[in-house]
Amino acid sequence: MLSEANVAAVWLTLKLATITTVILLIVGTPIAWWLARTHSKWKGVIGAVVALPLVLPPTVLGFYLLMILGPHGPIGQLTQFLGWGVLPFTFAGLVVASVFYSMPFVVQPLQQAFEAIGARPLEVAATLRASPWDAFFTVVLPLAKPGFITASILGFAHTVGEFGVVLMIGGNIPEKTRVVSVQIYDHVEALEYAEAHVLAGGMLLFSFLVLLALYSRKGTSTWK
Amino acid sequence: MTFDKAIHARFQVAWPGFNLDVELRLPGRGVTALFGHSGSGKTTLLRCLAGLERQSVGSLNFKGEVWQDDARGICRPTHRRPLGYVFQEASLFPHLSVRKNLDYGRKRVNGGHKVSLDHAVELLGIGHLLDRMPDRLSGGERQRVAIARALATSPELLLMDEPLAALDLKRKSEILPYLERLHDELEIPVCYVSHVPDEVARLADHVVLLSEGRVVAAGGLRETMARLDLPTAFTEDAGVVIEAVVADHDETYRLTRLDFPGGSVVVARRQESLGRRLRFRVHARDVSLALARAKGTSIVNLLPATVVEVADADTPAHVLVRLDAAGTPLIARITRYSLDHLGVTPGKSMWAQIKAVALLG
């Protein structure tokens, strides 16, 4: 039922979303933790930067990433110096762009989960001889589990759903940067509506199921 | 000198609108009540002792061990201080069963367990709750588990922040006997924050009175509670605490006699058996004075006592009179009119008439 090109696009999309989500959980957790705990005057600035992709057109984000990562941009020069070449129009470039683009969808649920837990459980753990790291893994992580699940679902789903950033930074290279959303665009341009239907319908169903799972999950456990 | 067995603490905390500045020497045994009104800094002081107050500056010497000395850049983080802390509201980990809550601190302690888990469980009467999750416990049960969890780490210092405040009267009376057992059976010093005089009178051996971030008075429970030179915030509720022994039961009139050094009082029949220790409070407003032993009065508790000092009371019309009843301090709150007409001066022998005693327990 799926053409070879469509299978490649679906596979690439799932790979991109999975890698992006894993990176975001690793990078986003300390950022969310810092945002939830700090009294620093930089909290507002960092919070705003993380939230930017929520309001910016993907083309703006894509444009600047292209400038910075491109052969004349600072990061581009660095990656060339390190012998990695330039990132735009590669899968790695797509991952970097997706990490920025989906950042708020992971950081914000985590930050809310950490804020809801508050400082008290950490103080309790400290009076029971747990070091801060110990307390984070044995108390904060289990209590923030609903937040981590929400963050993973949203980060994954949002990466699957991106289009503009992909087009700007990744272009449209089969099996490298041609993800489902771009593939649908191609099909529609070529008037292959049947092919487009298969992918578009699949995306619709996927997105609905993800949101259904998210909204029908039982209430998060509360601190007692 | 047993200098090394005490706890020396000096802390300063400066927040907008609040300053804590205290210097304390706490005994290395028994229950010390940190007593004061809300906002007096008692919880902040307790948090400083635990190392939870990051902005505190000061020093803490625990029985010869330096836990904190900011002048020398020493500050042991909370998890390296061998203490137990019971928070005001129950603070059990909701994702762990009672048993795993108890194990959490216990398995992180190296070396010998002076308090066995079984003993902590038995002491707090929570053996039947071990497999429950915290949200299946009543407020009183949660607080008992929290106390047992702190004890199971074999702490060298137990800090309790109004552990009864979040509970209703029934739950309070459910926990108080357990706290009294702690007092009787534990060898370690306990700091107990409270703003309830009866709780302090029932549990404490020593009292630190705090007001607006300063120590107003500190010392043994009886002497401190009997002091007259305290701010009016404390004297409006002035009174003394007396520790007595159940000496006799009178079945005809359904009365019980309580003996203490310097005399005895008679109260309504108690359930306690002979020889049991009981504490009671005598409020200053329940004590009146007479020049001679009154005849033809309904008051049964009359004690000979010597006037020690006279001080201002909470209203200009009244004075507080501190008395010595053969070693047991008493405070009477009488009018300034009576003071002058009876000629009450230090050294005078009088009769204290006690209208009511409040038994604790």
Side-chain angles (χ1 to χ4, degrees), chain B residues 24-94:
Chain B
L24 278 176
R25 183 180 179 279
L26 304 175
R29 257 218 73 168
V31 176
T32 301
L34 305 180
F35 178 57
H37 300 282
S38 53
S40 58
K42 49 197 192 310
T43 294
T44 307
L45 174 57
L46 201 70
R47 289 173 58 83
C48 286
L49 292 170
L52 291 171
E53 214 52 73
R54 290 280 159 81
Q55 286 158 37
S56 72
V57 179
S59 62
L60 174 59
N61 185 307
F62 182 82
K63 299 186 176 182
E65 273 179 58
V66 179
W67 285 10
Q68 189 169 342
D69 189 347
D70 291 308
R72 289 193 286 154
I74 299 170
C75 185
R76 270 209 224 180
T78 303
H79 68 276
R80 297 226 177 84
R81 299 185 186 197
L83 51 84
Y85 199 110
V86 180
F87 290 84
Q88 185 167 341
E89 73 290 345
S91 52
L92 302 181
F93 296 126

Side-chain angles (χ1 to χ4, degrees), chain A residues 120-132 134-135 138-139 142-143 221-224, chain B residues 47 52 78-79 81-83 85 87 89-95 104-105 108 135 142 149 153:
Chain A
R120 180 49 55 84
L122 290 164
E123 293 186 346
V124 174
T127 66
L128 294 169
R129 314 285 192 283
S131 69
D134 185 358
T138 54
V139 176
L143 291 180
S221 75
T222 48
W223 175 254
K224 292 223 172 71
Chain B
R47 289 173 58 83
L52 291 171
T78 303
H79 68 276
R81 299 185 186 197
L83 51 84
Y85 199 110
F87 290 84
E89 73 290 345
S91 52
L92 302 181
F93 296 126
H95 61 297
Y104 189 91
R108 283 170 172 76
D135 59 358
R142 272 185 220 149
R149 182 176 64 175
T153 64

